[in-house]
């Protein structure tokens, strides 16, 4: 029999997967919450401690990718921390106003403009902007894979084993 805690936990885990592609929804945190809720609701008995630890680690990795993936990629592309900070703020504001396309355009454009103003190198500025934008997209893909793995691992541990 499936109880309310199980339904809410699975809903949080599904929300975690959806949240990785929906703007301003913390997918990793939702996954971690669903996992913790179910484990608490089961009296900390199922799924097993090792399974919960592995799935929780994946959720923490998702949170880290969400928070720092784009910044790390921008830094790898040569952007300064100042550029990355400014681009993050601009991208979030544009995302709220215009949606995901505004986030991508805002991130790329801001990194390009700030790096060009600082260094005067158009090629280097394009490279930094491409790294930052590509890194954010790659971070989102990684988050989707991690939260999907958490959901599927949870369901297998719960209903198969």
């Amino acid at each position: 029999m499936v109880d309310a805690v199980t339904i809410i936990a699975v809903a949080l885990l599904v929300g975690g997967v959806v949240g990785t592609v929906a703007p301003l929804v913390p997918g990793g945190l939702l996954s971690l919450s669903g996992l913790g809720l179910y484990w608490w609701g089961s009296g900390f008995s199922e799924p097993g401690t090792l399974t919960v630890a592995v799935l929780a680690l994946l959720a923490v990795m998702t949170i880290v990718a969400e928070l720092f993936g784009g910044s790390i990629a921008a830094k790898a592309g040569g952007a300064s921390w100042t550029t990355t900070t400014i681009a993050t703020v601009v991208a979030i504001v544009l995302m709220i106003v215009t949606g995901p396309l505004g986030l991508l355009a805002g991130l790329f454009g801001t990194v390009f403009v700030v790096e060009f103003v600082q260094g005067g190198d158009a090629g280097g500025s394009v490279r930094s902007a491409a790294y930052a934008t590509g890194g954010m997209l790659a971070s989102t893909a990684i988050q989707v894979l991690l939260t999907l793995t958490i959901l599927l691992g949870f369901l297998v541990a719960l209903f198969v084993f």
Side-chain angles (χ1 to χ4, degrees), residues 28-147:
L29 191 58
L30 285 174
S31 293
L32 189 59
S33 298
L35 182 62
L37 174 68
Y38 185 82
W39 203 44
W40 169 79
S42 72
F44 306 105
S45 62
E46 61 177 86
T49 305
L50 181 60
T51 302
V52 170
V54 169
L55 295 177
L57 179 63
L58 292 175
V60 169
M61 289 170 57
T62 304
I63 293 167
V64 169
E66 182 176 8
L67 294 176
F68 301 111
S71 299
I72 292 169
K75 191 66 179 162
S80 68
W81 287 117
T82 303
T83 300
T84 303
T85 303
I86 293 168
T88 300
V89 171
V90 169
I92 289 172
V93 170
L94 284 175
M95 179 192 55
I96 292 169
V97 174
T98 62
L101 190 57
L103 179 132
L104 292 173
L107 180 66
F108 186 92
T110 303
V111 170
F112 174 78
V113 167
V114 173
E115 284 295 304
F116 186 73
V117 167
Q118 287 180 348
D121 177 20
S125 299
V126 168
R127 182 176 49 88
S128 293
Y131 266 78
T133 307
M136 192 184 66
L137 292 171
S139 171
T140 300
I142 289 168
Q143 292 172 58
V144 169
L145 291 173
L146 287 171
T147 54

